[in-house]
C-alpha cells in the first residue's frame, strides 16, 4: 500500500479512537453526575422527607388512618418495567391495614429522575374500589429547590386531597 494511503488510514483510525474515547468519557461523566444526584436524593429523603412523612404518619394514625412509608431504590423488574428511586407515604382508612396484602393505597411519592436531575411528586387519591386521580404533579424540583417547607407543603396538600376523596 502506498505511504499516503497508510497515513490516511492511520489518521482515520486515530480519529475514530479519540471519538470513542470522548464518548466513553462523556458516558462516565454522565454516570457519575447521575450517581451524585441519586446520592443527594437519598440524603434529602433521610434528612428531610422521611422525618416529615413520619410526622404526618403519627398524626394520621392518631386520627384513625393507617400509614406506611417505604423507600425504594431504582430497579427494573423482570418484565422490563423501570422504577425510579422514590419514597412513598401510603394512606389507608383503617389504622390496622395490612399494607402487605395489597399495595393499591392512595399515596404521595417523591421520585428521583436521574436523567433530568429533577424530583417529581406523584399523587394517587384512589382508595380501593373508589374514584380519584393518580398522576405526577406538574411542579418539579431540584435538590436545591426542594426544602423542608416545600416538602411539608407538598405532603399536606396531598394528604388533604387523599382524605377529601374518601
Amino acid at each position: 500500500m502506498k505511504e499516503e494511503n497508510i497515513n490516511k488510514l492511520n489518521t482515520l483510525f486515530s480519529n475514530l479512537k479519540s471519538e470513542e474515547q470522548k464518548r466513553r468519557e462523556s458516558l462516565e461523566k454522565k454516570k457519575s453526575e447521575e450517581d451524585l444526584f441519586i446520592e443527594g436524593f437519598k440524603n434529602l429523603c433521610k434528612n428531610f422527607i422521611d422525618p416529615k412523612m413520619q410526622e404526618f404518619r403519627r398524626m394520621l394514625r392518631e386520627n384513625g388512618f393507617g400509614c406506611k412509608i417505604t423507600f425504594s431504590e431504582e430497579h427494573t423488574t423482570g418484565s422490563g418495567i423501570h422504577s425510579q428511586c422514590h419514597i412513598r407515604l401510603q394512606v389507608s382508612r383503617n389504622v390496622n391495614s395490612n399494607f402487605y396484602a395489597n399495595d393499591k393505597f392512595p399515596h404521595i411519592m417523591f421520585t428521583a429522575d436521574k436523567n433530568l436531575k429533577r424530583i417529581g411528586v406523584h399523587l394517587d387519591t384512589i382508595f380501593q374500589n373508589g374514584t380519584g386521580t393518580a398522576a405526577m404533579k406538574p411542579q418539579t424540583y431540584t435538590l436545591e429547590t426542594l426544602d423542608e417547607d416545600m416538602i411539608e407543603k407538598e405532603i399536606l396538600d396531598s394528604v388533604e386531597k387523599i382524605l377529601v376523596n374518601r
Side-chain angles (χ1 to χ4, degrees):
M1 198 177 321
K2 289 182 182 178
E3 186 71 29
E4 66 184 67
N5 292 337
I6 291 172
N7 289 339
K8 274 187 178 181
L9 278 176
N10 284 336
T11 302
L12 174 67
F13 292 138
S14 176
N15 289 341
L16 288 174
K17 286 178 186 174
S18 68
E19 284 180 25
E20 179 64 22
Q21 181 65 25
K22 286 178 189 173
R23 190 184 67 74
R24 244 186 265 120
E25 288 171 359
S26 174
L27 283 174
E28 287 173 15
K29 181 181 177 198
K30 183 177 187 236
K31 181 79 172 148
S32 65
E33 288 173 357
E34 290 172 353
D35 291 343
L36 285 172
F37 174 76
I38 293 298
E39 198 60 41
F41 177 74
K42 289 177 183 178
N43 286 332
L44 190 67
C45 288
K46 179 183 166 199
N47 297 323
F48 296 104
I49 300 174
D50 184 63
K52 276 294 170 204
M53 285 184 169
Q54 294 294 346
E55 287 179 42
F56 279 89
R57 179 180 182 267
R58 182 183 46 75
M59 290 187 71
L60 284 161
R61 290 185 64 80
E62 287 171 1
N63 287 283
F65 291 92
C67 296
K68 178 182 173 189
I69 299 170
T70 53
F71 177 84
S72 292
E73 297 277 350
E74 175 182 39
H75 67 278
T76 303
T77 65
S79 59
I81 297 172
H82 180 75
S83 176
Q84 296 172 326
C85 185
H86 65 270
I87 186 167
R88 174 172 58 181
L89 170 67
Q90 293 174 290
V91 179
S92 168
R93 291 182 181 130
N94 179 355
V95 74
N96 296 317
S97 279
N98 182 353
F99 286 93
Y100 302 100
N102 183 348
D103 200 35
K104 303 295 181 205
F105 287 91
H107 65 260
I108 176 177
M109 180 168 57
F110 291 87
T111 65
D113 185 333
K114 70 180 183 183
N115 296 316
L116 297 176
K117 292 172 192 59
R118 293 273 185 247
I119 299 168
V121 180
H122 186 269
L123 172 62
D124 181 339
T125 64
I126 306 169
F127 280 96
Q128 292 93 340
N129 302 321
T131 59
T133 60
M136 292 297 289
K137 290 184 169 186
Q139 172 72 45
T140 61
Y141 301 94
T142 64
L143 291 172
E144 295 77 26
T145 61
L146 186 59
D147 60 15
E148 196 170 1
D149 290 338
M150 287 308 302
I151 293 166
E152 187 170 309
K153 181 184 174 298
E154 286 287 357
I155 297 172
L156 178 61
D157 176 63
S158 298
V159 167
E160 180 180 23
K161 287 178 178 160
I162 290 168
L163 297 183
V164 167
N165 191 47
R166 295 175 39 153

